[in-house]
Amino acid sequence: MASVAPLPDLDFPGHDKLVAAIDHSVSLGDEHAVTASLRNTLCALIRDPDVHLPDCVHSAIADHYARREIYRSAKHGYSVVAMTWGPGQGTPIHDHSGLWCVEGVWDGELEITQYELLERDGDRFRFRAAGGMHAGPGSAGSLIPPHEYHTIANASDDAVAVSLHIYQAPMECCSKFFPQSGEWFLRTDSALKTDQAA
Ligand SMILES: [Fe+2]
């Protein structure tokens, strides 16, 4: 009989408190209620002196921003991913594969820009920046598809930033959009990898 790989579940101070708080929020009903509650929960957890994310999440990786899945819920299906952004690291415009997500800044500062989809021609998408946020520690925002197109970048030239992302379900692929000309971008489907977490 094939063995089943255990779900990601790192040990860290405040683990049980974090999981209980997220479990409570995700059981509140529809995606609007859940994400609103999770924003509050995440802001409180970031400021909670009992909660310390695993040491590994503070290590940036030289050639890409790091994605480390620190917990996945067997009961509720959500996934908690810590991301580590070295100076200058960021994402292209991307979507979230139809999943809601709540993301909070744990450490450092991130620049988040939302994009409005103006029109589409096959795999060509026309976007316009629709607003941005310079987010520091203790702030959290949420995405509910179809309002999901955005970029994230470390706003600092010399400091590492850490963010925590709670996804409705593990996000294993998404679409990324690369500039063509003017406001037009070309969609590329992309598999998302996770980095070693220990
Ligand atoms: Fe994202």
Side-chain angles (χ1 to χ4, degrees), residues 59-61 64-68 81-86 89 195:
S59 299
I61 295 177
H64 62 278
Y65 70 89
R67 301 177 80 250
R68 297 179 175 101
V81 176
M83 296 191 195
T84 314
W85 311 83
Q89 290 181 338
D195 295 291

Side-chain angles (χ1 to χ4, degrees), residues 120-126 175-178 180 184-189:
R120 176 181 175 180
D121 173 19
D123 279 339
R124 295 173 69 243
F125 286 62
R126 188 169 154 238
S175 294
K176 295 179 177 175
F177 302 88
F178 295 96
Q180 270 200 315
W184 286 94
F185 292 73
L186 189 63
R187 181 175 74 177
T188 306
D189 288 328

Side-chain angles (χ1 to χ4, degrees), residues 65 83 85 91-92 94-96 101 103 143 148 150-152 165 167 171:
Y65 70 89
M83 296 191 195
W85 311 83
T91 71
H94 62 281
D95 68 12
H96 273 191
C101 175
E103 32 204 34
L143 292 169
E148 57 184 318
H150 62 287
T151 58
I152 302 180
H165 303 242
Y167 295 102
M171 194 169 83

